[in-house]
Amino acid sequence: MLEITNLHARVAGKAILKGLNLSVKAGEVHAIMGPNGAGKSTLGNVLAGREGYEVTDGTVTYMGEDLLALPAEERAAKGVFLAFQYPVEIPGVNNTYFLKAALNAQRKYRGEPELDSMQFLKLTREKLKVLSISDELMHRAVNEGFSGGEKKRNEIFQMAMLEPRLGILDETDSGLDIDALKTVAEGVNRLRSPERGFIVITHYQRLLDYIVPDFVHVLADGRIVESGDQSLALELEEHGYSWIKERKLGAAA
Amino acid sequence: MQNWYPGDENGVGGIYNFVTKRGACRGARSKISWTQVETGSAITWKYPSCVLRGDDSVGEFYSVALTNHRQQADTGTKMIHLGARTKSKIISKGISAGRGQNSYRGLVKVEKNADGARNFTQCDSLLIGDRCGVHTFPYIEVKHPGAIVEHEATTSKISDDQLFYCLSRGISAEDAVSMIVNGFCKQVFKELPMEFAVEAKKLLEVSLEGAVG
Ligand SMILES: Nc1ncnc2c1ncn2[C@@H]1O[C@H](COP(=O)(O)OP(=O)(O)OP(=O)(O)O)[C@@H](O)[C@H]1O
Ligand SMILES: [Mg+2]
């Protein structure tokens, strides 16, 4: 469903992605690990269509379509969802109101009927219950004054409500207590289906005990430098990223 | 609510709207509350005021002023405390987009016989884009040593992060801006009767057209 070929991207005039290749088929979960500053969030932003991220080479095909040609809001309506590493606060805008506007904008774009308040409320209740998220967060402004963990839970809740085709989670597990971590995993596992794909960016193998990935990739210096299965994550945990470099050097010698 | 013709994108042909409105709270425990939503005119100068003469009288001023393109708004209130234990509250929300300029200009005056007078002023400004401006000119004149006068002011900007967050959830840039602006004005809109609040919200949407992208 997602085919990234030779992707090069610049941010603020600086080359960050330097020939990245990644193929995600429907039904698969891909974990991406890699050192700080490697370009993981940049990849998420490029896929979600953030302005200022300039693609200088390469292609991204999503469901047979040129993803890069679409504006961000259309990508969302077509099922691309990015759970942010640092979700932003929007003071004064009620969380429920925001989410309803988002869901209905997407539905409208897809030619589906919009949900009225009752239908929306019912859906909200269902999803909150499944993810055991307190409905107190729904009455507050979007992310305003949320703790780090609450923000991440809110991202997962939004994902559950919007039911994307392609979920990209950017370090959604960072800074979470064990219960919140399980909520995040539950959010992904509930949505996991043969029609959906996930890219899970994380620094910790721990998350992958709960969300078992089909593939693990290492992103370093703007490229995928190593791919494997879950055992790769375990080895990384043990040896660190320098281990990959050394292995590559060893192979080259 | 005032929505006079603001002129074209350069403000040409727009109305100038210069207004002074004054209210007197003469009786004890009387109250005047002004609520205004200003979106129109090329230039607006408007200062609805309250003279708080009666003891325990109350004055309130709730304001939303929005300028886009080349519009200029200079608006605020005067709260003149004469009677004992008079109270006033000022909530002002200024929004500027395009090359708009928006000023809050207000006077809080406490005369020497106004024992126990109190004022609270909150003045928030929101910038959309980087060619507009917001300003606040709070004048405070206090002649009674026991008066309590508070002034809070904030200035914020709709950030690229906020916009992208909305876009990434499928909300268009235009809807995102109007949502954020409405959130910003909530404190004032909740003072309006339901039908007016709906109108005010629509008026802001129309006035913000072309403010992004
Ligand atoms: N807006 C920006 N302006 C300038 N440099 C940027 C910008 N965004 C990202 N960068 C730079 O691009 C590089 C990659 O950043 P990115 O956020 O993609 O890393 P990351 O792999 O997600 O790191 P982390 O694990 O710390 O989240 C970094 O060197 C960062 O400083
Ligand atoms: Mg990152």
XYZ file of all heavy atoms in Angstrom, chain A residues 154-214:
488
model
N -4.135 10.687 23.748
C -5.081 11.412 22.905
C -4.807 11.150 21.421
O -5.732 11.038 20.628
C -4.998 12.907 23.219
C -6.183 13.689 22.673
O -7.306 13.182 22.648
N -5.932 14.905 22.212
N -3.536 11.062 21.074
C -3.186 10.735 19.684
C -3.767 9.381 19.302
O -4.322 9.203 18.226
C -1.657 10.715 19.492
C -0.970 12.060 19.661
C -1.310 13.034 18.555
O -0.821 12.877 17.429
O -2.090 13.961 18.830
N -3.604 8.431 20.210
C -4.098 7.080 19.937
C -5.619 7.067 19.867
O -6.224 6.381 19.039
C -3.591 6.101 21.024
C -2.092 5.894 20.856
C -4.311 4.764 20.966
C -1.677 5.405 19.475
N -6.223 7.868 20.727
C -7.677 7.959 20.691
C -8.143 8.535 19.347
O -9.083 8.033 18.728
C -8.179 8.827 21.847
C -9.650 9.037 21.807
C -10.520 7.964 21.960
C -10.176 10.292 21.568
C -11.888 8.148 21.886
C -11.542 10.482 21.502
C -12.402 9.409 21.659
N -7.466 9.570 18.886
C -7.812 10.141 17.584
C -7.660 9.092 16.490
O -8.500 8.975 15.592
C -6.911 11.335 17.260
C -7.204 12.555 18.116
C -6.313 13.729 17.753
O -5.562 13.681 16.784
N -6.387 14.789 18.526
N -6.593 8.320 16.592
C -6.373 7.284 15.576
C -7.517 6.273 15.601
O -8.030 5.872 14.559
C -5.027 6.593 15.803
C -4.717 5.565 14.733
S -3.061 4.878 14.867
C -3.348 3.631 16.113
N -7.926 5.903 16.809
C -9.012 4.924 16.936
C -10.296 5.470 16.313
O -11.046 4.747 15.665
C -9.239 4.582 18.404
N -10.535 6.758 16.498
C -11.754 7.373 15.968
C -11.694 7.522 14.449
O -12.690 7.354 13.760
C -11.957 8.757 16.585
C -12.308 8.758 18.056
S -13.951 8.116 18.391
C -14.986 9.444 17.748
N -10.536 7.879 13.942
C -10.426 8.180 12.509
C -10.193 6.923 11.666
O -10.347 6.955 10.450
C -9.302 9.210 12.266
C -9.540 10.578 12.929
C -8.303 11.464 12.820
C -10.739 11.292 12.305
N -9.821 5.847 12.305
C -9.620 4.550 11.636
C -8.857 4.671 10.321
O -9.387 4.367 9.246
C -10.977 3.880 11.401
C -11.742 3.690 12.700
C -13.021 2.883 12.501
O -13.686 3.059 11.466
O -13.328 2.070 13.396
N -7.602 5.102 10.399
C -6.827 5.308 9.175
C -6.449 3.995 8.493
O -6.501 2.933 9.105
C -5.576 6.022 9.676
C -5.415 5.550 11.074
C -6.810 5.403 11.601
N -6.037 4.117 7.243
C -5.515 2.987 6.487
C -4.035 2.754 6.831
O -3.564 1.647 6.943
C -5.595 3.332 4.982
C -6.865 2.887 4.319
C -6.860 1.401 4.291
N -8.028 0.789 3.726
C -8.279 0.689 2.421
N -7.493 1.267 1.548
N -9.327 0.040 2.002
N -3.339 3.891 6.930
C -1.906 3.831 7.230
C -1.645 4.667 8.480
O -1.813 5.882 8.467
C -1.098 4.405 6.054
C 0.403 4.556 6.278
C 1.084 3.200 6.442
C 1.056 5.327 5.130
N -1.263 4.005 9.561
C -0.973 4.717 10.796
C 0.529 4.862 10.962
O 1.275 3.885 10.850
N 0.962 6.092 11.203
C 2.387 6.325 11.448
C 2.503 6.829 12.877
O 1.954 7.887 13.212
C 2.959 7.379 10.474
C 2.682 6.968 9.024
C 4.453 7.589 10.712
C 2.767 8.112 8.028
N 3.178 6.082 13.716
C 3.294 6.484 15.121
C 4.717 6.927 15.404
O 5.655 6.131 15.318
C 2.944 5.306 16.040
C 1.452 5.041 16.276
C 0.780 4.555 14.997
C 1.258 4.035 17.380
N 4.874 8.208 15.699
C 6.214 8.739 15.932
C 6.500 8.773 17.438
O 6.058 9.682 18.134
C 6.336 10.135 15.324
C 7.788 10.619 15.290
O 8.665 9.910 15.817
O 8.026 11.711 14.737
N 7.214 7.781 17.883
C 7.598 7.689 19.301
C 6.412 7.875 20.236
O 6.519 8.574 21.250
C 8.680 8.721 19.637
C 9.975 8.427 18.915
C 11.158 9.160 19.530
O 11.121 9.440 20.748
O 12.121 9.403 18.798
N 5.314 7.264 19.881
C 4.130 7.407 20.723
C 4.345 6.738 22.077
O 3.661 7.033 23.047
C 2.904 6.822 19.990
O 2.845 7.418 18.699
C 1.609 7.121 20.712
N 5.341 5.868 22.161
C 5.599 5.167 23.425
C 6.557 5.914 24.344
O 6.691 5.561 25.512
C 6.160 3.772 23.135
C 7.439 3.820 22.302
O 7.535 4.688 21.408
O 8.339 3.005 22.538
N 7.207 6.971 23.836
C 8.195 7.649 24.679
C 7.540 8.339 25.869
O 6.531 9.018 25.713
C 8.968 8.682 23.868
O 9.787 8.024 22.937
N 8.113 8.155 27.013
C 7.634 8.841 28.212
C 6.342 8.293 28.774
O 5.670 8.968 29.546
N 5.955 7.093 28.394
C 4.698 6.548 28.898
C 4.909 5.594 30.069
O 5.886 4.858 30.111
C 3.992 5.767 27.776
C 3.486 6.576 26.602
C 2.641 5.697 25.696
C 2.683 7.765 27.079
N 3.942 5.610 30.989
C 3.979 4.591 32.027
C 3.437 3.297 31.425
O 2.944 3.268 30.301
C 3.182 5.031 33.265
C 1.700 5.200 32.990
O 1.136 4.433 32.194
O 1.098 6.115 33.589
N 3.522 2.239 32.179
C 3.247 0.927 31.603
C 1.781 0.791 31.164
O 1.481 0.190 30.130
C 3.676 -0.201 32.585
C 3.713 -1.548 31.879
C 2.835 -0.225 33.828
C 4.885 -1.699 30.943
N 0.864 1.410 31.901
C -0.551 1.333 31.513
C -0.809 2.071 30.202
O -1.528 1.582 29.333
C -1.448 1.921 32.610
C -1.482 1.033 33.838
O -1.058 -0.135 33.727
O -1.913 1.521 34.906
N -0.198 3.256 30.099
C -0.386 4.044 28.885
C 0.235 3.316 27.693
O -0.298 3.333 26.588
C 0.235 5.423 29.052
N 1.363 2.666 27.950
C 2.021 1.901 26.890
C 1.084 0.819 26.367
O 0.955 0.603 25.160
C 3.298 1.267 27.446
C 4.184 0.567 26.420
C 4.874 1.592 25.551
C 5.211 -0.310 27.111
N 0.405 0.177 27.295
C -0.548 -0.868 26.895
C -1.716 -0.271 26.107
O -2.213 -0.886 25.175
C -1.067 -1.615 28.130
C -0.026 -2.591 28.665
C -0.552 -3.384 29.847
C 0.537 -4.290 30.388
N 0.275 -4.698 31.769
N -2.133 0.946 26.511
C -3.199 1.628 25.756
C -2.778 1.860 24.314
O -3.533 1.620 23.380
C -3.528 2.996 26.400
O -3.943 2.779 27.733
C -4.618 3.718 25.642
N -1.551 2.326 24.158
C -1.039 2.592 22.819
C -1.011 1.298 22.000
O -1.479 1.248 20.855
C 0.374 3.221 22.883
C 1.029 3.236 21.516
C 0.286 4.631 23.451
N -0.487 0.252 22.615
C -0.397 -1.031 21.918
C -1.797 -1.544 21.564
O -2.037 -2.008 20.449
C 0.333 -2.046 22.789
N -2.695 -1.403 22.526
C -4.075 -1.832 22.306
C -4.698 -1.068 21.135
O -5.382 -1.648 20.291
C -4.889 -1.576 23.594
C -6.335 -1.989 23.545
C -6.539 -3.494 23.642
O -5.547 -4.214 23.895
O -7.683 -3.930 23.441
N -4.406 0.232 21.101
C -4.928 1.073 20.014
C -4.487 0.555 18.656
O -5.275 0.495 17.715
N -3.233 0.186 18.566
C -2.717 -0.327 17.295
C -3.265 -1.728 17.029
O -3.777 -2.007 15.937
C -1.174 -0.354 17.293
C -0.643 -1.058 16.052
C -0.635 1.071 17.377
N -3.186 -2.581 18.021
C -3.592 -3.973 17.802
C -5.070 -4.112 17.437
O -5.438 -4.966 16.635
C -3.249 -4.822 19.031
C -1.740 -4.991 19.166
O -1.012 -4.955 18.165
N -1.256 -5.140 20.395
N -5.892 -3.248 18.031
C -7.327 -3.270 17.689
C -7.574 -2.928 16.231
O -8.510 -3.411 15.620
C -8.076 -2.243 18.535
C -8.210 -2.641 19.947
C -9.614 -3.099 20.239
N -9.658 -3.710 21.541
C -10.711 -4.339 22.022
N -11.796 -4.448 21.293
N -10.663 -4.864 23.214
N -6.760 -2.007 15.724
C -6.964 -1.557 14.339
C -6.289 -2.476 13.333
O -6.605 -2.464 12.155
C -6.411 -0.145 14.155
C -7.257 1.034 14.613
C -6.557 2.334 14.235
C -8.648 1.016 13.991
N -5.341 -3.245 13.832
C -4.573 -4.104 12.933
C -5.526 -4.979 12.124
O -6.392 -5.640 12.681
C -3.665 -5.001 13.782
C -2.222 -4.889 13.406
C -1.362 -5.664 14.342
N -0.292 -6.288 13.576
C 0.852 -6.704 14.102
N 1.049 -6.611 15.409
N 1.762 -7.233 13.345
N -5.375 -4.941 10.819
C -6.245 -5.759 9.974
C -5.570 -5.937 8.624
O -4.604 -5.238 8.314
C -7.596 -5.075 9.793
O -7.504 -4.106 8.766
N -6.068 -6.854 7.815
C -5.443 -7.095 6.504
C -5.477 -5.874 5.589
O -4.738 -5.818 4.620
C -6.290 -8.228 5.903
C -6.963 -8.877 7.060
C -7.150 -7.810 8.090
N -6.345 -4.894 5.898
C -6.408 -3.699 5.023
C -5.497 -2.580 5.504
O -5.339 -1.588 4.817
C -7.828 -3.101 4.978
C -8.883 -3.956 4.326
C -9.514 -4.868 5.342
O -9.995 -4.349 6.368
O -9.506 -6.101 5.127
N -4.966 -2.697 6.710
C -4.240 -1.566 7.273
C -2.753 -1.842 7.435
O -2.355 -2.966 7.705
C -4.790 -1.222 8.655
C -6.188 -0.685 8.610
C -6.473 0.124 9.867
N -7.805 0.685 9.739
C -8.899 0.088 10.197
N -8.811 -1.053 10.846
N -10.073 0.630 9.996
N -1.990 -0.774 7.324
C -0.562 -0.887 7.571
C -0.135 0.110 8.640
O -0.801 1.119 8.868
N 0.963 -0.196 9.330
C 1.475 0.712 10.370
C 2.980 0.886 10.251
O 3.701 -0.060 9.940
C 1.174 0.164 11.768
C -0.273 0.236 12.130
C -1.112 -0.843 11.880
C -0.804 1.381 12.699
C -2.451 -0.778 12.183
C -2.147 1.451 13.014
C -2.979 0.370 12.758
N 3.412 2.102 10.502
C 4.833 2.371 10.673
C 4.981 2.873 12.102
O 4.370 3.874 12.484
C 5.331 3.443 9.680
C 5.191 2.929 8.247
C 6.772 3.823 9.985
C 5.546 3.973 7.189
N 5.729 2.140 12.886
C 5.860 2.468 14.299
C 7.299 2.889 14.575
O 8.210 2.063 14.533
C 5.478 1.253 15.173
C 5.629 1.590 16.644
C 4.052 0.806 14.870
N 7.486 4.172 14.812
C 8.825 4.686 15.116
C 9.025 4.602 16.625
O 8.183 5.080 17.388
C 8.955 6.147 14.645
C 8.802 6.228 13.117
C 10.289 6.744 15.092
C 8.635 7.653 12.590
N 10.090 3.966 17.040
C 10.324 3.851 18.484
C 11.811 3.705 18.791
O 12.604 3.335 17.935
C 9.562 2.648 19.083
O 9.836 2.574 20.484
C 9.973 1.335 18.426
N 12.146 4.054 20.024
C 13.523 3.836 20.483
C 13.613 2.588 21.357
O 14.695 2.188 21.761
C 14.015 5.035 21.300
C 14.391 6.209 20.461
N 15.430 6.186 19.563
C 13.857 7.452 20.351
C 15.525 7.355 18.957
N 14.575 8.140 19.421
N 12.444 2.017 21.682
C 12.471 0.953 22.687
C 11.878 -0.357 22.211
O 10.741 -0.404 21.753
C 11.735 1.411 23.953
C 12.294 2.690 24.475
C 11.616 3.884 24.283
C 13.539 2.713 25.103
C 12.145 5.079 24.717
C 14.071 3.911 25.544
C 13.384 5.087 25.345
O 13.916 6.267 25.770
N 12.631 -1.393 22.352
C 12.205 -2.739 22.023
C 10.970 -3.112 22.839
O 10.106 -3.850 22.378
C 13.404 -3.667 22.255
C 13.184 -4.917 23.029
C 12.327 -5.898 22.238
O 12.257 -5.839 21.024
N 11.666 -6.783 22.974
N 10.864 -2.508 24.045
C 9.760 -2.823 24.955
C 8.385 -2.718 24.277
O 7.514 -3.557 24.454
C 9.820 -1.850 26.141
C 8.869 -2.142 27.256
C 9.028 -1.121 28.355
N 8.659 0.225 27.919
C 8.333 1.203 28.749
N 8.331 1.014 30.050
N 8.021 2.390 28.285
N 8.192 -1.672 23.471
C 6.902 -1.490 22.792
C 6.602 -2.676 21.878
O 5.454 -3.085 21.721
C 6.911 -0.199 21.974
C 5.649 0.073 21.130
C 4.460 0.390 22.023
C 5.864 1.202 20.134
N 7.675 -3.205 21.311
C 7.502 -4.266 20.308
C 7.155 -5.610 20.951
O 6.829 -6.572 20.263
C 8.749 -4.369 19.428
C 9.150 -3.027 18.785
C 10.396 -3.192 17.936
C 8.016 -2.435 17.963
N 7.228 -5.662 22.284
C 6.690 -6.845 22.976
C 5.167 -6.831 22.901
O 4.517 -7.864 22.930
C 7.102 -6.840 24.457
C 8.587 -7.140 24.612
O 9.167 -7.746 23.684
O 9.162 -6.748 25.641
N 4.620 -5.610 22.832
C 3.154 -5.480 22.816
C 2.601 -5.346 21.391
O 1.527 -5.816 21.087
C 2.713 -4.267 23.641
C 3.071 -4.383 25.103
C 4.185 -3.745 25.625
C 2.295 -5.166 25.959
C 4.515 -3.860 26.963
C 2.622 -5.285 27.297
C 3.736 -4.631 27.796
O 4.064 -4.748 29.115
N 3.333 -4.601 20.563
C 2.950 -4.519 19.151
C 3.991 -5.327 18.395
O 5.099 -4.854 18.150
C 2.999 -3.065 18.614
C 2.145 -2.139 19.470
C 2.555 -3.020 17.164
C 2.279 -0.667 19.078
N 3.669 -6.536 18.054
C 4.681 -7.384 17.419
C 4.789 -7.013 15.942
O 3.827 -7.131 15.186
C 4.334 -8.872 17.587
C 5.387 -9.742 16.922
C 4.208 -9.202 19.072
N 5.953 -6.493 15.544
C 6.091 -6.018 14.164
C 6.405 -7.165 13.203
O 6.948 -8.191 13.614
C 7.279 -5.076 14.262
C 8.121 -5.653 15.353
C 7.186 -6.337 16.319
N 6.055 -6.956 11.935
C 6.449 -7.930 10.915
C 7.892 -7.671 10.484
O 8.611 -8.584 10.138
C 5.517 -7.805 9.707
C 4.076 -8.099 10.098
O 3.797 -9.259 10.438
O 3.248 -7.157 10.108
